[in-house]
Amino acid sequence: MRTAPTEMLQAMLAVTSHLDLEEVLHTVVEAAADLTGAPYAAIGVLDAAGEVETHIETGDAPHVQALLTHPHGVEVLEAIGTEPLLLEDLVDHPRFADLPPGHPRTARFLGVQVRVRGQVHGRLYVAGKSAPFTDEDAAGVRLLATAAGIAVQNARLYEAARTRERWLAVGQEITTTLLSGADIEDALALIARRVRQVAEADTAVLVLPGVGSDWVIEFADGDPVGDLVGIVMPPNGRAMTVLRDGYGIIVDSFARARNLRVPQFGRYGPSLYAPLMAGDEGLGVLILLRRTGAVEFTENELTVAESIARQAALAITLSQARQAQNLAELLSERSRIARDLHDLAIQQLFATGLRLGHLQERLDPAQAGELQSALDGVDEAVGQIRRIVHALRAEDEHLPLGDRLEREVAHARTALGLQVRLTTGADLARVEEDLADDVVAVVREGLANAARHARAEYVTVTIATGEDARLVVTVADDGVGPDLSVARRSGLANLAGRARRHGGRCTLEPGPDGGTRLQWSAALEGR
């Protein structure tokens, strides 16, 4: 069938005029059928792994369709190379064998690759024509395949842009929520829910620091997820690799994995891992999971997910810093109120009481008796204010140990400019008040040394229960390391004395990866 140049131009313009991939493919196969006069036309678009991702066909030729969907027919399709494949009969191809008895042998075939910039994006083919396909048919289909490749690429770029736009909108929503003062727990749950939705994943989980060196799934969104929360991630698994390396990965399918370290993931197929990185610090890992057989995550989705995860991590860091600053300001304000009440209000009331007392001496007994009631009221007010001042000052000292440690961390973040991560793996309720005071003192001294002497930026504080029921406090920083030539350290000697008083010890040494590690231990009461 001959086609005028204007008809070919119109066909190519029709193909390249669409951005929706489904519309593109339908237009391609219909134009191929019209161009060649074939009763059957189809296009198979390939994914990154070379598998058929989308298949569109047109025409009413059941026997041709049966041949092309036959396993050996599929092998013939895979044999289409850089040159058009012209066959007088499909079953005469070397890759086609074992034709079922009585199967019709009426399938003239013409197939070409859909290529863009040397990359194969799919295969376009027509079949079942009553007359032989000509070289002109082949040239026309080849031109149409070129236009189809460009159209497919444009459609994918357009879809990638739309996907990125949706992801960025979610990222902006998450950042706005975090910086508007939302509770961190609520914000993390929002991250899991909204990212799962925009990624069209079945489940999303957030892996965050747990007890000691463990990393645990703390949040999960999707259905079902009840058995996922609380899973401790294997130290050599994908999540920890992503956290150490600082960049994400795509897994084609957990269902085909031979060594599955998290058995619960076995019910999922494709997955995506993106680290929550705030600078060089890994705060956690976002994992997106799709059901078995679902479409795999793309490199574009991974790139956007990594960007959103970094954005969320930065927002989390800023939110935590703001909350720490708010806590520090609250504590400072309480201290100021207590000081002003003691230094100003009490003194003013005391002075007023003295003046009233002098005035009472010059009054007659009846008037003096009435004034005595006023003096009693002043004394009662002074007593109430003193009790308030005592409560304000004593409340901080009688807070639970965990709250007191959080206060020290908040102060270090705001006043000392440190990035601090606190991990409490021990049962702090077992720590007696006297020991708790020393633990707070150790943490305070360790944070101060990290800022003033070690010139550190990042500090980890770990409170754990060691061997023989001992409480172990470790303060590790990324600073310049201890100066071992200095023999006397009054602060360290003080901490060592506190440790000995509780049957423990205190050491200061270089960290395994640089910096300084202060380790302090004490025996727990009633062990």
Side-chain angles (χ1 to χ4, degrees):
M1 177 180 179
R2 297 184 59 85
T3 303
T6 55
E7 293 175 344
M8 174 60 73
L9 179 60
Q10 289 175 352
M12 295 182 70
L13 288 175
V15 169
T16 56
S17 64
H18 299 291
L19 288 174
D20 181 83
L21 186 57
E22 290 290 327
E23 292 183 9
V24 168
L25 299 181
H26 279 290
T27 303
V28 167
V29 295
E30 290 170 359
D34 292 341
L35 175 67
T36 62
Y40 179 86
I43 187 170
V45 179
L46 306 180
D47 60 18
E51 301 293 332
V52 177
E53 179 182 64
T54 307
H55 180 266
I56 300 293
E57 60 185 5
T58 187
D60 184 18
H63 66 287
V64 175
Q65 184 183 37
L67 283 174
L68 289 170
T69 55
H70 187 279
H72 295 304
V74 174
E75 291 187 28
V76 175
L77 296 179
E78 294 174 350
I80 299 174
T82 56
E83 296 297 324
L85 180 61
L86 275 164
L87 299 174
E88 181 63 22
D89 195 336
L90 183 69
V91 298
D92 288 337
H93 192 276
R95 291 198 180 187
F96 206 109
D98 301 327
L99 184 66
H103 203 290
R105 297 170 58 88
T106 55
R108 291 186 175 92
F109 177 85
L110 167 60
V112 298
Q113 288 183 341
V114 178
R115 300 172 67 89
V116 176
R117 297 177 181 175
Q119 297 294 320
V120 179
H121 285 256
R123 307 180 189 98
L124 173 63
Y125 47 95
V126 291
K129 187 178 178 180
S130 58
F133 288 108
T134 65
D135 291 339
E136 185 178 5
D137 289 334
V141 173
R142 196 171 191 176
L143 282 174
L144 193 58
T146 300
I150 296 172
V152 169
Q153 186 180 53
N154 288 342
R156 284 177 169 172
L157 290 173
Y158 175 67
E159 182 59 31
R162 291 182 60 192
T163 298
R164 187 176 186 86
E165 182 180 356
R166 291 193 298 268
W167 278 76
L168 293 178
V170 169
Q172 183 177 9
E173 177 187 351
I174 291 170
T175 301
T176 301
T177 300
L178 281 164
L179 297 183
S180 64
D183 182 77
I184 292 293
E185 300 283 321
D186 294 339
L188 291 172
L190 173 69
I191 291 173
R193 183 176 70 257
R194 293 295 288 121
V195 173
R196 180 190 65 80
Q197 293 170 346
V198 74
E200 297 181 350
D202 294 282
T203 298
V205 303
L206 281 175
V207 179
L208 301 171
V211 175
S213 60
D214 290 341
W215 290 77
V216 183
I217 294 179
E218 295 285 358
F219 293 88
D221 187 81
D223 185 32
V225 296
D227 59 337
L228 298 180
V229 176
I231 292 177
V232 178
M233 305 306 289
N236 296 321
R238 292 184 179 90
M240 295 301 96
T241 299
V242 164
L243 194 64
R244 288 191 295 267
D245 295 343
Y247 55 85
I249 60 172
I250 294 173
V251 178
D252 56 359
S253 178
F254 277 122
R256 296 195 296 266
R258 294 182 179 179
N259 298 319
L260 196 59
R261 295 184 175 91
V262 181
Q264 291 85 346
F265 284 178
R267 63 176 180 263
Y268 297 103
S271 65
L272 181 154
Y273 290 68
L276 278 72
M277 301 297 297
D280 295 330
E281 180 188 2
L283 302 184
V285 181
L286 168 67
I287 305 176
L288 298 175
L289 303 157
R290 286 175 177 164
R291 67 185 183 281
T292 302
V295 63
E296 293 182 13
F297 290 96
T298 65
E299 290 293 333
N300 178 62
E301 288 176 317
L302 175 60
T303 299
V304 182
E306 289 177 317
S307 176
I308 298 303
R310 286 193 298 269
Q311 187 177 349
L314 179 59
I316 290 171
T317 301
L318 292 175
S319 178
Q320 290 175 334
R322 188 186 62 247
Q323 290 183 4
Q325 182 178 6
N326 291 341
L327 176 59
E329 290 175 353
L330 174 62
L331 296 173
S332 176
E333 180 66 9
R334 286 170 53 183
S335 177
R336 184 194 63 78
I337 292 173
R339 185 174 60 253
D340 289 350
L341 285 174
H342 181 271
D343 296 342
L344 301 176
I346 289 182
Q347 298 304 321
Q348 182 66 33
L349 285 173
F350 185 72
T352 300
L354 288 177
R355 288 196 296 272
L356 290 175
H358 291 309
L359 178 61
Q360 184 184 33
E361 295 175 357
R362 298 195 294 269
L363 296 176
D364 59 63
Q367 293 174 324
E370 294 180 4
L371 189 56
Q372 183 61 45
S373 298
L375 286 172
D376 292 341
V378 170
D379 290 340
E380 178 61 26
V382 170
Q384 289 178 350
I385 292 175
R386 281 177 171 161
R387 287 191 293 272
I388 292 172
V389 170
H390 177 74
L392 285 172
R393 289 176 171 172
E395 183 177 348
D396 289 345
E397 301 305 320
H398 293 287
L399 285 172
L401 178 55
D403 292 345
R404 296 177 65 184
L405 293 173
E406 290 288 355
R407 181 185 64 181
E408 296 300 326
V409 169
H411 175 76
R413 287 171 177 160
T414 56
L416 303 180
L418 294 172
Q419 298 182 51
V420 186
R421 187 175 80 184
L422 172 66
T423 302
T424 55
D427 182 6
L428 300 184
R430 295 179 55 194
V431 180
E432 298 290 337
E433 184 175 350
D434 182 45
L435 177 56
D437 291 340
D438 286 336
V439 170
V440 172
V442 171
V443 172
R444 182 182 300 154
E445 179 71 17
L447 293 173
N449 286 339
R452 296 167 186 163
H453 304 304
R455 300 191 295 278
E457 294 183 0
Y458 182 73
V459 184
T460 59
V461 178
T462 305
I463 316 294
T465 303
E467 298 179 358
D468 301 326
R470 290 180 177 275
L471 188 72
V472 180
V473 180
T474 304
V475 182
D477 64 55
D478 63 349
V480 298
D483 185 355
L484 300 179
S485 64
V486 178
R488 294 186 62 227
R489 294 186 179 88
S490 59
L492 183 61
N494 178 38
L495 298 185
R498 291 175 181 267
R500 287 193 298 271
R501 193 161 62 89
H502 295 286
R505 58 194 299 266
C506 179
T507 59
L508 184 73
E509 58 188 5
D513 299 319
T516 304
R517 183 174 68 177
L518 168 67
Q519 193 165 73
W520 187 93
S521 65
L524 289 169
E525 295 293 332
R527 62 185 186 277

